[in-house]
Amino acid sequence: MATQNRTETVIETVPTRLLVDGAWIDATGGGTFEVTNPATGDVLTRVADATPADGDRALAAAAAAQREWARTEPRVRGEVLRSAFELLTERADDFARLMTLEMGKALPEARGEVTYGAEFFRWFSEEAVRIHGRYSPAPAGNTRLITMKGPVGPTLMITPWNFPLAMGTRKIGPAIAAGCTMVVKPAAETPLTMLALAALLEEVGLPPGVLNVLTTTDSGGLCEPLIRDARLRKLTFTGSTAVGKVLVAQASDQLLRVSMELGGNAPFIVFEDADLDAAVDGAMLAKMRNIGEACTSANRFLVHESVAEEFSTRMAARMDSLTVGDGTQDGVDVGPLITDKARAGVHELVSDAVAGGARTLTGGEVPEGPGHFYPPTVLVDVPASARVFREEIFGPVAPISTFADEEEAVRRANDTEYGLVAYVFTRDHSRVLRVSEALEFGMVGVNTGIVSNPAAPFGGVKHSGFGREGGFEGIEEYLETKYVGSAL
């Protein structure tokens, strides 16, 4: 009963309308849609279903607020972020429960996302006052060269369902610091966290029109007119590569500044000299963070043939020990996948691998009962041609294959259109440098299963996108450089 009361209290505090120009309003026509709990199928609440007309109003508000927000002192912008960090940290338990209810991850992991997501606000609160240019004499000496940085302008942010808080703060933080106004379109599966975050930012003094939030079931219909609108100056998207390609094409009409954080197919390479205890620990983090529903999730385990059997046995035992269930319950390690369609897609990849000769060490069966649950699964003897090695799994499945030498490991790791992150476990420092340089990925984790850090530039190459979020580089995505030449 206490848990039920806590759930109801958390849901009741979340705004369910659209935030446009500082006002919470109904969608044009009054449409709404359900938000459900993936662990039970229960309806949590209904939220406004925005239309293109609402999108136009939101972009108009962002455009109108842009000039004044850009002129606001960097210290003031930074203090808004610092206050948001402190209040978000104070309300961590409520935000964690909200994320668990609408997305499914277990409460301890949701609390971890609040800590991680809040840190982007703290990081960029400190970066807001460090936006700087350059002054130098021209080589001929008769002119002074001045470069200055200013905000790109109104930005459309399309955020995913898998990290409903952190993927928002990772974009909103640098935009506020740089002086950009925003229209944010969260995923229809998990809109509540973003709505709660918008209310928090209002509470700490973010001016009307700087942040506008639109929830909708018609993402394409809402976003395409905004992307093609001359008032918009930047688009940032986190999601699938297929959708990202469509958005980039649309953005070409207005030659928008574009940041794309897209899909991944991360290799997890275990060399023969690796510390197997550390490798298994790292594998569990890289695979099971967020139920495997992460672009950084280890998708292909490439293990040296001399240690493959021991690694596979240990990992299967660890995966088998995890408790699957409703993420709000004590003792649960693995919550449900986001939808039944997602679960069916994961199981299809497992079935394809098994049909091609792979063996299941644990998991691999769809459980009966409510909720979109799928058991932690380990596959061995997976053929290189299996779809599970070519496609992003987005679930708790670890396919393992072997390699004979370093050259083969690197070749197979790079044999993908994606290039977000790779993981390497070895004790050989020279190998760390060789392999890191040879891997065609935007990030490499060495002897660690987590690379995400607000102080580091997150992003990929190839079909995993372009642009960086976090680190010193993160704010540059929201700044334009202007050069002034002044004659003496």
Side-chain angles (χ1 to χ4, degrees), residues 414-436:
N414 287 336
D415 185 22
T416 174
E417 63 187 3
Y418 298 102
L420 186 60
V421 62
Y423 302 92
V424 177
F425 277 75
T426 178
R427 289 187 172 101
D428 185 334
H429 184 64
S430 294
R431 172 179 278 158
V432 166
L433 298 178
R434 285 195 311 271
V435 172
S436 294

Side-chain angles (χ1 to χ4, degrees), residues 22 26 59 69 113 210 244 250 270 279 282 309 330 371 398 444:
D26 292 328
L59 182 55
W69 182 238
E113 182 176 342
V210 175
Q250 293 173 358
V270 181
E309 183 175 356
D330 291 341
V444 179

Side-chain angles (χ1 to χ4, degrees), residues 240-325:
S240 73
T241 295
V243 173
K245 289 179 179 179
V246 172
L247 296 175
V248 170
Q250 293 173 358
S252 66
D253 271 7
Q254 296 296 330
L255 295 177
L256 298 180
R257 282 280 296 275
V258 178
S259 303
M260 291 279 140
E261 198 273 279
L262 306 177
N265 187 5
F268 189 102
I269 307 170
V270 181
F271 285 100
E272 66 273 22
D273 64 339
D275 178 335
L276 282 191
D277 289 335
V280 173
D281 287 344
M284 294 300 295
L285 286 172
K287 178 70 264 181
M288 294 307 296
R289 183 187 182 206
N290 217 52
I291 325 172
E293 295 175 313
C295 55
T296 55
S297 177
N299 213 68
R300 299 170 290 150
F301 287 84
L302 306 175
V303 184
H304 191 270
E305 56 192 15
S306 66
V307 295
E309 183 175 356
E310 183 177 357
F311 176 87
S312 301
T313 300
R314 289 197 198 183
M315 188 163 184
R318 290 281 295 276
M319 293 280 269
D320 191 52
S321 71
L322 298 176
T323 299
V324 179

